[in-house]
Amino acid sequence: MPFSKVAAVEGNEKWDLLVKRETGIYQRDSDIRSEFWRDYNRILHCTAYRRLKHKTQVFFATQNDHICTRIEHVNHVAAVSVTLCQRLGLNTELAIAIATGHDLGHPPFGHEGEKILQKIVSGFSGERFWHEKNSLWFVDKLETLPGPDGYEHNLNLTYAVRDGIITHCGEVDENAIFPRQEYLPLEKMTYANQYQPFTWEGCIVKIADKISYLGRDIEDALTLQILSSQQINELKEMLGEVLGTGDINFREINNTVLMHRFMMDLCQNSNPDAGIRFSEEHLRLINLIKKFNYENIYYHPRLEVFKKYAELVIQSIFDFLAGMYCSKETINELKKVQPSFPLLAGYFIDWLYKYSTCRHEVETKYANQIVYDIENEVDYKRAIVDYISGMTDSFAIKVFHELTSF
């Protein structure tokens, strides 16, 4: 049975669960969009999506306009996901919504920023910080859009999209991915890759994430000239051995060629009985490329220097704001230092008015859920972490410069 028929049967059986929202959402009689397309539009127009254009993918705060940023990566994943779903007869609107929203909670400075915030969060709450759950937290609690009433409301996405966002992690070390059958409370998930997605489309996005970054990271490394001729020859030999193509012209080993090969191989080998899968040859290839990238790109000495800087930036911002805590008087304490730190303190005050119990102190157009109790110090520190994780690389550096300028 092809994917289209299986997906139709499964979709009919659990459709109400897939399109379920946490609360009701306004309806227009003239709206021509599906539930998943509405989700895609809501993600596309939220501010967290816009900030991805200034967030690290691999190379920190790059000054080169042609190096991949987080927003390009998200769009690459969306394009690959749609192509695969079109071929396999799956729901392209669901796939593009998941793909576009999957990294909305990614911190500044890429996975290094994630590691730094994990260390900070574990220090004051003992909880885990992982970007997949943080992305779900952002779309559930932090990102807002103005409704027809003029007030800001939470995005309130469907279960299928929210599920695909939190379950998109997981390296494809094992071949074959199948959607899970259980309908689970997503906020109860405790670590990355704990569960497979609830839909075939979520499984597609999970693999498209890997297809999208491996080749592009190599291209960027070449552009920035951080790969030696010896490493380039090693890559050529590795690809030649696996693909059996003999002497490969390196100009042909680029993201376009690699993505095409992986997508075609996935389509040829995937079916409802076998799952979403690569051939053994291409699974080996994707893992070899990943290993090459870790050894020669992700742990490159030039990146190691910036990792230390990123930790200094994030830790300094957190420590400064954490030191301002004074229970009910916290806002007043922040206002005292706002003239010296207009960006850091000013925007954080706005953050607290929008999301904390301080909201009653001012007139606002916010109708989104309050998530922090200002009298709870752990809540306050969580607010700082959320504020930092929403920052772009460039904004984090700007506010760090406020802290170090006199």
Side-chain angles (χ1 to χ4, degrees):
M1 184 182 294
F3 274 106
S4 55
K5 291 186 178 180
V6 171
V9 171
E10 292 179 350
N12 289 335
E13 292 177 349
K14 57 187 183 182
W15 180 255
D16 289 344
L17 297 177
L18 295 178
V19 298
K20 182 180 179 182
R21 301 179 188 274
E22 294 295 287
T23 59
I25 191 171
Y26 67 87
Q27 302 290 332
R28 295 187 178 98
D29 294 336
S30 58
D31 204 328
I32 60 175
R33 298 169 297 173
S34 72
E35 294 297 323
F36 298 142
W37 200 245
R38 287 192 75 182
D39 282 0
Y40 168 66
N41 289 165
R42 293 178 76 76
I43 291 168
L44 189 66
H45 292 287
C46 76
T47 54
Y49 175 77
R50 299 174 207 170
R51 292 194 298 270
L52 294 178
K53 64 179 174 286
H54 295 304
K55 288 196 175 190
T56 290
Q57 173 60 16
V58 172
F59 299 100
F60 304 104
T62 177
Q63 301 301 305
N64 188 318
D65 292 337
H66 300 145
I67 298 301
C68 189
T69 62
R70 186 65 55 177
I71 200 169
E72 293 168 53
H73 165 70
V74 162
N75 291 333
H76 294 161
V77 175
V80 171
S81 299
V82 168
T83 301
L84 293 174
C85 285
Q86 285 175 333
R87 177 63 177 174
L88 298 175
L90 296 170
N91 191 314
T92 58
E93 294 185 353
L94 173 55
I96 197 172
I98 295 171
T100 306
H102 83 276
D103 270 354
L104 290 188
H106 221 300
F109 311 126
H111 288 287
E112 190 61 27
E114 185 176 10
K115 293 176 184 176
I116 298 163
L117 288 179
Q118 166 56 35
K119 182 179 177 181
I120 290 173
V121 170
S122 64
F124 70 78
S125 73
E127 297 178 355
R128 293 174 183 263
F129 179 94
W130 38 297
H131 81 268
E132 297 86 356
K133 188 162 188 176
N134 202 52
S135 291
L136 179 67
W137 177 254
F138 260 75
V139 300
D140 279 357
K141 306 297 184 183
L142 301 181
E143 285 304 301
T144 62
L145 288 175
D149 59 1
Y151 284 85
E152 294 281 329
H153 297 270
N154 296 105
L155 296 188
N156 195 17
L157 305 180
T158 60
Y159 180 86
V161 174
R162 296 171 57 239
D163 171 82
I165 288 173
I166 195 172
T167 59
H168 81 264
C169 182
E171 299 300 338
V172 193
D173 295 320
E174 78 292 342
N175 214 352
I177 298 179
F178 296 86
R180 73 174 192 279
Q181 297 303 310
E182 306 95 328
Y183 178 82
L184 301 171
L186 303 178
E187 64 277 4
K188 300 298 184 183
M189 294 186 181
T190 56
Y191 58 89
N193 209 23
Q194 184 177 6
Y195 298 101
Q196 295 292 17
F198 193 50
T199 63
W200 286 108
E201 290 80 4
C203 295
I204 288 291
V205 173
K206 183 171 182 172
I207 290 189
D209 190 23
K210 314 305 175 290
I211 292 175
S212 300
Y213 74 71
L214 291 173
R216 182 55 197 267
D217 293 349
I218 293 171
E219 282 191 350
D220 286 350
L222 289 169
T223 299
L224 295 174
Q225 299 181 333
I226 69 169
L227 290 177
S228 67
S229 57
Q230 180 179 347
Q231 290 167 329
I232 293 171
N233 288 332
E234 177 187 340
L235 178 62
K236 289 170 63 176
E237 291 173 6
M238 179 184 69
L239 295 176
E241 285 179 17
V242 176
L243 299 177
T245 54
D247 185 21
I248 298 177
N249 187 327
F250 190 75
R251 287 176 298 176
E252 297 177 358
I253 305 174
N254 54 42
N255 197 36
T256 300
V257 172
L258 290 176
M259 287 172 66
H260 177 75
R261 290 197 68 113
F262 286 129
M263 286 191 287
M264 293 306 98
D265 183 79
L266 190 82
C267 290
Q268 291 165 7
N269 289 278
S270 298
N271 61 67
D273 293 327
I276 306 296
R277 64 187 298 140
F278 295 109
S279 65
E280 292 300 324
E281 172 191 76
H282 279 74
L283 178 65
R284 181 183 169 218
L285 179 62
I286 203 169
N287 286 326
L288 283 173
I289 294 175
K290 183 173 66 176
K291 182 174 182 290
F292 174 88
N293 284 8
Y294 271 97
E295 291 177 350
N296 301 294
I297 299 174
Y298 308 146
Y299 295 134
H300 194 278
R302 284 179 62 185
L303 293 181
E304 293 302 311
V305 173
F306 201 98
K307 288 177 183 178
K308 296 175 183 177
Y309 177 66
E311 182 170 16
L312 177 63
V313 169
I314 291 176
Q315 189 69 56
S316 298
I317 294 171
F318 177 83
D319 290 344
F320 176 82
L321 292 176
M324 301 302 299
Y325 183 68
C326 192
S327 191
K328 291 181 180 180
E329 295 300 312
T330 300
I331 290 285
N332 291 331
E333 292 300 308
L334 288 166
K335 286 180 177 178
K336 291 178 183 177
V337 300
Q338 186 176 358
S340 298
F341 310 105
L343 291 179
L344 177 56
Y347 280 107
F348 188 55
I349 290 170
D350 293 340
W351 187 271
L352 293 176
Y353 279 142
K354 184 172 183 178
Y355 300 112
S356 82
T357 48
C358 293
R359 182 186 298 172
H360 70 276
E361 299 175 9
V362 293
E363 288 189 19
T364 70
K365 289 191 175 182
Y366 298 136
N368 57 294
Q369 184 177 345
I370 289 175
V371 292
Y372 316 120
D373 179 358
I374 196 65
E375 296 184 52
N376 183 314
E377 189 170 1
V378 172
D379 270 14
Y380 175 75
K381 289 181 177 178
R382 177 68 212 207
I384 301 171
V385 169
D386 290 344
Y387 178 53
I388 293 173
S389 71
M391 291 181 179
T392 62
D393 295 18
S394 54
F395 185 77
I397 291 170
K398 283 180 183 177
V399 298
F400 176 70
H401 285 170
E402 281 191 345
L403 291 175
T404 56
S405 299
F406 295 91

